[in-house]
Amino acid sequence: MKHITPDSVSRQTLPASVTQTLACIELVQQLRETQRPPTPEEQALLSQFMGWGALAPAFEPTPREHWQEIAARLRLVLGPEGFAAASAATPTSYFTDAPLIRALWHLAEGLGFTGGRVLEPGCGSGAVLAAAPPQLSLSTTGIERDPFSAALAQLRCPQARILCTRLEQVIIPAHSYDLVIGNVPFGKIPISDRETGGHRFPLHTYFLWRALQALRPGGLALLITSRYTLDASSPAHRAALAEQGYLLGALRLPAGAHRAAATEVVSDLLILQKRAAACSWQGSPWLQTTEALLPGLALNEYFAHHPQHLVGTPALTRNQFGDPTFTLRAPQPFEAALEQAVCALIEEITAQGGGSLPPTITPGWTPTSWRSEPTGARSAPTICWMVVSFRCFTGNWSPSRG
């Protein structure tokens, strides 16, 4: 894991982080205007962007105190449209800490991934793709709805294909990726498209659904998601995911694991595998919830059977409404505990016969469902992409190309 340079923003206080983030934003605008690549020193600065969510106070209708100056600076640099787009992205624009990025790539390599096509849906500023181990031969694609973050990701990952659009507006050919990796946006916003079979998934679960659709048989999805993907009381959405893939393992990440993004959310790192006849192990049970771990609070059965994969100490706390809720107190030092948990999980999965399977699809195939793209859509050399806008009214789809 020495090949990944830790993101120094996680070592800073919030005011310093805000200052560096503003400098990063101004640098991106300069690079776009001059149409030149960043220098190594500028690349280091680009890595300091921590997402719009951490700057949410600047986008309030009447910002408080020092946030007024930051808001004015953002309006000047981004312009009206860019400011509005950034403001709209604040609920989900929390980017990934360096220890978590290291954990993702450590898992990928430890579970047998040796290179190939990689997709990151919701790639943000490109931090995960930029940290890919250099010894891997990769063809990478990122999808990001926020124009600024997409531009930043392209600067940080010049060899990647970055699509600036919503995930639900992209048709991805089935079985076209070997690995899907990243930290998906969290949210209760219900999302559906013409492929979800009537399911209206929460935003984070929708990203997992699309990830499994994109994977080739035996491919892996290593994704950080809301804990409610596993802990939701209804198993319906998990059952829909299970129709496409197996849960090989999971780590529950404590409050504070996303500290660089200034959020205390508890989240899960899931290892999913696309269903394949060649899979000798079909993963662990994960459809139901149980109160076996914490009486009075239902958690996913996976953690009842694998409490060692809780990276921290479980406890009950109260949410903003006074209701009991789950929290996970971080161990100290967290990075060492996370690395130990990743190594143990790799050993456990491989002992069961799980891991990435060799591809069985010949590269260069052409989808039969379409042969061309709308004007302006970007395509990979061997994958046919189609970006389509959909409007949904009571289940009836009205496509319009964009």
Side-chain angles (χ1 to χ4, degrees):
M1 298 176 1
K2 294 181 180 178
H3 48 260
I4 298 175
T5 302
D7 188 342
S8 60
V9 72
S10 61
R11 307 283 191 266
Q12 301 164 350
T13 61
L14 181 59
S17 297
V18 169
T19 299
Q20 289 195 326
T21 296
L22 291 171
C24 172
I25 293 167
E26 292 172 344
L27 174 59
V28 170
Q29 298 298 76
Q30 292 171 11
L31 293 173
R32 295 176 71 181
E33 290 174 2
T34 58
Q35 296 186 354
R36 65 173 179 83
T39 66
E41 293 77 13
E42 289 171 335
Q43 280 284 11
L45 178 57
L46 294 179
S47 70
Q48 304 306 307
F49 184 67
M50 60 186 180
W52 298 119
L55 299 177
F59 295 100
E60 294 178 357
T62 306
R64 301 178 182 178
E65 301 176 356
H66 66 279
W67 288 106
Q68 295 179 3
E69 180 182 347
I70 295 171
R73 190 169 168 185
L74 288 172
R75 288 183 183 276
L76 179 64
V77 174
L78 297 175
E81 292 185 4
F83 187 88
S87 178
T90 55
T92 58
S93 180
Y94 292 96
F95 296 156
T96 314
D97 287 60
L100 303 182
I101 295 173
R102 289 196 294 268
L104 288 167
W105 285 111
H106 187 181
L107 280 165
E109 291 191 286
L111 294 175
F113 177 71
T114 57
R117 292 178 177 146
V118 178
L119 172 67
E120 185 182 5
C123 68
S125 64
V128 174
L129 294 180
Q135 68 270 21
L136 297 180
S137 177
L138 303 177
S139 173
T140 54
T141 301
I143 302 173
E144 172 55 44
R145 59 170 286 188
D146 172 49
F148 176 85
S149 299
L152 175 53
Q154 192 69 76
L155 288 168
R156 296 185 67 185
C157 311
Q159 302 305 316
R161 180 183 314 102
I162 305 298
L163 300 178
C164 182
T165 186
R166 294 174 180 268
L167 179 60
E168 57 268 36
Q169 293 177 324
V170 182
I171 296 176
I172 306 173
H175 306 166
S176 54
Y177 283 93
D178 303 291
L179 176 71
V180 183
I181 194 168
N183 178 8
V184 305
F186 304 177
K188 296 181 180 179
I189 308 163
I191 303 291
S192 63
D193 60 30
R194 65 179 186 178
E195 303 294 334
T196 55
H199 290 288
R200 291 179 62 79
F201 295 112
L203 180 64
H204 42 271
T205 305
Y206 175 77
F207 271 65
L208 269 63
W209 165 271
R210 293 300 305 273
L212 286 168
Q213 281 190 318
L215 282 172
R216 61 166 175 79
L220 296 179
L222 310 178
L223 295 168
I224 298 171
T225 181
S226 165
R227 76 173 182 89
Y228 292 102
T229 294
L230 292 187
D231 287 352
S233 57
S234 171
H237 293 159
R238 291 188 293 276
L241 295 175
E243 291 177 358
Q244 296 196 62
Y246 316 117
L247 178 70
L248 299 188
L251 295 175
R252 177 144 293 178
L253 305 172
H258 301 270
R259 193 169 300 279
T263 178
E264 293 291 314
V265 66
V266 174
S267 57
D268 289 336
L269 195 169
L270 304 187
I271 300 96
L272 299 166
Q273 183 167 41
K274 181 72 174 224
R275 284 183 173 272
C279 291
S280 59
W281 180 54
Q282 298 184 357
S284 299
W286 60 302
L287 297 188
Q288 304 302 322
T289 57
T290 175
E291 296 185 7
L293 193 63
L294 282 176
L297 188 64
L299 302 176
N300 192 273
E301 62 178 321
Y302 175 84
F303 293 113
H305 297 304
H306 303 87
Q308 70 275 21
H309 297 323
L310 297 170
V311 188
T313 304
L316 284 175
T317 186
R318 299 281 176 179
N319 62 19
Q320 59 182 331
F321 305 108
D323 300 322
T325 188
F326 174 86
T327 191
L328 193 63
R329 296 178 180 139
Q332 297 300 328
F334 169 66
E335 291 185 32
L338 177 61
E339 182 175 356
Q340 183 178 0
V342 166
C343 292
L345 186 56
I346 290 172
E347 183 177 351
E348 180 181 303
I349 292 173
T350 54
Q352 295 281 354
S356 180
L357 295 179
T360 57
I361 297 176
T362 302
W365 57 274
T366 302
T368 57
S369 58
W370 60 86
R371 296 288 182 180
S372 61
E373 299 174 327
T375 302
R378 301 180 63 179
S379 61
T382 56
I383 297 179
C384 181
W385 283 87
M386 196 172 186
V387 180
V388 182
S389 298
F390 289 100
R391 299 183 181 90
C392 180
F393 302 95
T394 64
N396 297 317
W397 290 102
S398 175
S400 62
R401 295 186 174 185

